[in-house]
Amino acid sequence: MPQTNSGFLAIFSDVASADETDYLHWLTREHAQERLSVPGFLAMRVFRAQAGQAARFFIFYRLAAPGVVASESYLARLNAPTPWSQRIMPKLTNFVRGGGAIVDEMGSGGEGMVAATVLFDATAMEGFRAASAEIAAADKLAAVRVLQTSAAGTGIQTSEKSLRKGDRSFSAMLLIEALDEAVLAPVMMLADAASEPPQIYRQIFALRRDA
């Protein structure tokens, strides 16, 4: 299977309807630019799904290397949140965060506008790597990525983290991107092996660092 030495950071959170506009303005007008100014942060993509009465957002950062999640420059930002970040962070609920290595990357090398996330325990890594190869061969699949979280890097305590309550992390994740949502339906069959129910998202924003 194709392997990569690049890294990732994935963040999930629920945002109440009353806070969604403020959250999206913060995310697209300040936070994205701030994060991509950190050395090693290459690209940011934002996805949205409906989760009950709240919108659930999935942010996927592409990193130059897995160690960027514990880098001095990134931690400096996390320990000096902006006033706008200080207002937003306490409003984010059901918050899940993990960063580390992109273990496998298969498909066209592109990106799909719809994506499914499957969180799983890293002890099941080989089974999910095998499944990802089969999924990547399906029609209308753009990419399949297998991600493994660095518990040490993700677990570092910071000022920004202290603004939120009930943060969780995850051990590993399968990220499947497709050309349309119907293609992702079979992925839901992985639910029994997942640590949380798989979720389908649609991309709403993207920003890349200038070369």
Side-chain angles (χ1 to χ4, degrees):
M1 295 180 186
Q3 297 189 17
T4 171
N5 292 319
S6 58
F8 79 96
L9 175 63
I11 296 174
F12 303 84
S13 63
D14 291 352
V15 178
S17 297
D19 298 318
E20 187 170 346
T21 297
D22 190 29
Y23 169 78
L24 288 172
H25 285 177
W26 163 79
L27 190 63
T28 60
R29 299 178 182 182
E30 178 186 272
H31 195 65
Q33 293 79 2
E34 180 193 57
R35 285 297 184 260
L36 292 187
S37 71
V38 175
F41 275 72
L42 305 179
M44 171 191 186
R45 299 165 68 201
V46 181
F47 297 81
R48 186 185 189 279
Q50 194 66 29
Q53 297 302 309
R56 185 151 183 80
F57 291 91
F58 162 46
I59 307 172
F60 184 74
Y61 297 94
R62 187 76 181 230
L63 309 180
V68 172
V69 292
S71 67
E72 183 177 345
S73 297
Y74 180 44
L75 293 178
R77 290 294 174 88
L78 293 179
N79 283 314
T82 68
W84 204 351
S85 293
Q86 292 178 45
R87 185 172 82 236
I88 290 292
M89 288 296 162
K91 297 179 180 180
L92 306 181
T93 58
N94 196 15
F95 195 93
V96 182
R97 176 179 177 273
I102 300 178
V103 177
D104 291 325
E105 193 161 24
M106 292 154 286
S108 67
E111 299 172 349
M113 295 303 291
V114 291
T117 60
V118 184
L119 305 185
F120 64 94
D121 194 294
T123 57
M125 179 63 73
E126 291 311 308
F128 274 88
R129 291 180 73 184
S132 66
E134 295 183 14
I135 293 170
D139 291 338
K140 298 184 181 179
L141 255 293
V144 179
R145 297 178 174 92
V146 183
L147 317 171
Q148 184 164 6
T149 297
S150 165
T154 300
I156 296 172
Q157 294 299 315
T158 64
S159 298
E160 188 174 286
K161 185 178 289 188
S162 70
L163 296 171
R164 303 185 299 263
K165 295 181 179 179
D167 276 24
R168 300 181 283 124
S169 188
F170 59 91
S171 181
M173 181 171 80
L174 197 61
L175 175 60
I176 305 104
E177 302 184 38
L179 306 186
D180 64 62
E181 188 170 327
V183 180
L184 297 172
V187 175
M188 299 299 105
M189 296 176 64
L190 294 171
D192 290 344
S195 56
E196 296 188 16
Q199 179 71 62
I200 293 178
Y201 294 86
R202 185 169 294 276
Q203 182 173 301
I204 60 170
F205 178 77
L207 185 68
R208 282 164 177 75
R209 186 174 181 173
D210 292 336

